[in-house]
Amino acid sequence: MTAAPPRGLATLLHGGTLAVAVQIRGFAIEVVEGPDAGKRFEPRSRSVVIGTDPSADVVLNDPYVSRVHARIDVQQTGYVLRDLGSRNGTRVASVWAREVWLGDDVAFTLGTTTLRFRLLDAPFELALPREESFEGLLGRSAAMREVFAICERVAPSDVPALLVGETGTGKELVARAIHARSRRKERAFVVLDCAALSPTLVESELFGHEKGAFTSAVSAHEGVFERADGGTVFLDELGELPPDLQPKLLRALETGEVRRLGGTKTIKVDVRVIAATNRDLVGMIAENRFRADLYYRLAVVQVTVPPLRARRDDVPLLARHFAERARQARPENMADDLDLDRVLGELRDYGWPGNVRELRNLVERASILSDLAGTGAPKPLGQAMAEVAGRPPTLREARAAADRAYVEDVLKRADGDLDRAAEIADVHRKTLERMLREQRRADTSDDDAE
């Protein structure tokens, strides 16, 4: 096993050509004062949650410590202590702190407990899964396999999770993978896109509404928390949540209760919340556009989903996956592909600003072009990819892709209910049925691997 040149606290360890582990400088947390005085913890994780909840990595028995009080994150350049919206706060050297860098021998206080952070000489290793898939996710790169390992570790817990990454990286698929490995896997996984609805509709979709709550509320409606009871709520585009709804969401997270719009009674719900964003929420907090307490309440576990340019080893794997799916959709039309490797080689240095979604769309558009090769033999997919990669989509292709993506999204948010989907889209049900018939060749990529 060999080590790559260190670029910070984390170093990749290789077995041959495959990265098999991440090596991180070890650290310890000593309890100096409080009910647990004398205890010492040596975590072996990039992210360490401290609190009274049994699922925490460092469990304290201090009644003034919150269930999930604080978290220590191992970043490439140092160790960061973050308060997670606790009741009684976190102090470092008598100063209240939301987020602070830790050095060796730094003491900090949670509730009535004082702890000391110690750096160790001996490193620890985080093994990377050798498998190239995890509950529908695909990846052989070290970056993606570390995501697999994090998902495996956090899935059994019920604590909230925040997925951070650029548009098109597959954050919803990561959320679905976590749900699929959790004890809630047999229950509902309900999605709410905070950016897709008006503020009034977002509140209604979150918490539900009673009949007559607003002009078009002709019947009572369950919100995502009620529909996901026992399962998982996925809040996509969290950064777009209207400011006036942020305290209401925070209250629901803290109490496990919701109240429908226009209603008077509270409804108890049992859900795990996973949120995702491509926005800089910390920057938004500094600009008073996002609540710090909501952020820290949701970011108990934070998973960074890498952009495609940071996992270039995965491009051939993903491209072949999308190409194979295209072949299965049109086996009688598509030719054997002999030049896909060459095309991928030519795209090796491409930045993929649209990430996995862009790669998927490139293969989709190329497969359509290969179908339209004329009366002769179908055009190989690799050749079609080379042609498509050198030009932007046509207006027809762009419109078709946008329509397909919209219909898929609205059906997901309606849990496949066409009547509800038509209501959200503000169109007649028959319009959606027609679009679905026209899109009969549309794939199910949002439920497949990225």
Side-chain angles (χ1 to χ4, degrees):
M1 186 180 294
T2 60
R7 294 186 299 168
L9 294 178
T11 303
L12 281 180
L13 301 180
H14 289 81
T17 60
L18 181 69
V20 296
V22 179
Q23 186 181 77
I24 296 171
R25 183 175 181 181
F27 60 96
I29 301 169
E30 301 172 349
V31 183
V32 179
E33 295 180 8
D36 301 286
K39 288 187 178 180
R40 177 185 170 95
F41 303 87
E42 292 189 15
R44 300 175 64 84
S45 171
R46 273 189 185 269
S47 185
V48 178
V49 175
I50 307 172
T52 60
D53 191 273
S55 68
D57 301 293
V58 173
V59 180
L60 301 175
N61 295 295
D62 184 343
Y64 296 96
V65 170
S66 296
R67 189 173 62 87
V68 283
H69 195 113
R71 189 182 72 227
I72 295 176
D73 291 326
V74 181
Q75 298 188 351
Q76 193 67 13
T77 54
Y79 305 82
V80 182
L81 172 67
R82 293 183 170 93
D83 185 271
L84 297 175
S86 64
R87 294 189 309 272
N88 295 312
T90 297
R91 286 174 289 144
V92 179
S94 301
V95 176
W96 298 104
R98 278 286 190 186
E99 187 171 305
V100 62
W101 291 92
L102 292 175
D104 188 30
D105 203 31
V106 171
F108 57 96
T109 301
L110 316 180
T112 62
T113 297
T114 298
L115 305 101
R116 190 174 300 278
F117 180 82
R118 299 278 194 184
L119 287 175
L120 305 177
D121 291 330
F124 65 89
E125 295 179 7
L126 297 177
L128 298 177
R130 290 183 176 270
E131 294 79 13
E132 296 182 350
S133 64
F134 179 87
E135 296 294 348
L137 297 169
L138 287 179
R140 62 169 59 103
S141 64
M144 203 60 195
R145 286 186 292 123
E146 187 170 357
V147 171
F148 296 171
I150 295 171
C151 290
E152 181 75 51
R153 185 173 72 87
V154 305
S157 170
D158 278 339
V159 297
L162 178 64
L163 311 181
V164 179
E166 298 175 7
T167 299
T169 51
K171 296 184 290 294
E172 180 178 335
L173 295 173
V174 174
R176 289 182 180 275
I178 293 173
H179 173 76
R181 286 291 175 99
S182 74
R183 66 177 180 83
R184 300 174 180 270
K185 63 182 178 182
E186 302 300 330
R187 305 302 294 269
F189 179 92
V190 183
V191 180
L192 175 64
D193 185 344
C194 300
L197 302 170
S198 67
T200 301
L201 282 179
V202 170
E203 184 172 7
S204 171
E205 283 300 304
L206 269 175
F207 308 120
H209 64 252
E210 297 291 358
K211 180 179 179 180
F214 46 88
T215 304
S216 58
V218 295
S219 61
H221 172 65
E222 292 183 340
V224 294
F225 280 89
E226 288 184 73
R227 299 204 301 272
D229 192 26
T232 301
V233 169
F234 176 59
L235 302 178
D236 200 7
E237 303 292 354
L238 178 69
E240 308 305 321
L241 187 68
D244 61 320
L245 292 184
Q246 293 175 20
K248 296 181 181 180
L249 175 58
L250 178 63
R251 182 182 181 281
L253 293 171
E254 291 178 336
T255 64
E257 296 177 341
V258 296
R259 180 181 297 168
R260 291 181 181 176
L261 196 61
T264 57
K265 67 175 184 178
T266 57
I267 302 167
K268 197 74 177 174
V269 291
D270 170 28
V271 299
R272 182 185 194 171
V273 176
I274 302 176
T277 185
N278 61 2
R279 303 285 294 275
D280 176 11
L281 295 186
V282 174
M284 293 177 66
I285 291 170
E287 297 170 354
N288 294 318
R289 293 189 293 130
F290 199 86
R291 291 181 64 110
D293 47 6
L294 176 58
Y295 169 77
Y296 288 109
R297 190 71 181 82
L298 286 168
V300 175
V301 173
Q302 183 164 307
V303 182
T304 299
V305 185
L308 190 54
R309 63 182 175 277
R311 45 183 294 217
R312 294 184 185 277
D313 292 348
D314 296 337
V315 172
L317 179 69
L318 293 166
R320 293 185 197 293
H321 169 75
F322 297 136
E324 180 58 31
R325 190 170 57 205
R327 286 193 184 91
Q328 292 175 359
R330 290 173 295 283
E332 72 284 357
N333 292 330
M334 294 187 63
D336 291 336
D337 196 349
L338 301 178
D339 56 357
L340 187 56
D341 285 334
R342 177 184 62 77
V343 175
L344 292 174
E346 293 174 356
L347 294 173
R348 183 177 303 278
D349 296 327
Y350 181 57
W352 299 107
N355 293 296
V356 178
R357 185 177 298 148
E358 182 179 7
L359 174 61
R360 181 198 70 200
N361 290 342
L362 177 64
V363 176
E364 282 181 352
R365 288 161 55 198
S367 68
I368 295 172
L369 184 59
S370 69
D371 283 350
L372 302 177
T375 57
K379 184 178 299 184
L381 180 60
Q383 180 183 344
M385 277 186 66
E387 295 180 11
V388 172
R391 65 168 177 84
T394 65
L395 181 60
R396 181 178 179 182
E397 288 170 345
R399 283 176 173 169
D403 285 350
R404 185 161 57 247
Y406 180 79
V407 171
E408 289 174 356
D409 179 67
V410 78
L411 283 172
K412 280 182 192 172
R413 287 190 279 110
D415 293 329
D417 185 329
L418 274 177
D419 289 325
R420 177 65 185 144
E423 179 183 346
I424 294 173
D426 194 24
V427 297
H428 195 280
R429 176 191 169 109
K430 289 186 176 180
T431 301
L432 275 187
E433 291 175 342
R434 175 180 55 78
M435 293 178 74
L436 286 170
R437 286 195 301 270
E438 292 174 352
Q439 295 168 9
R440 60 187 180 277
R441 45 168 301 281
D443 62 65
T444 56
S445 59
D446 284 332
D447 296 318
D448 286 338
E450 288 197 3

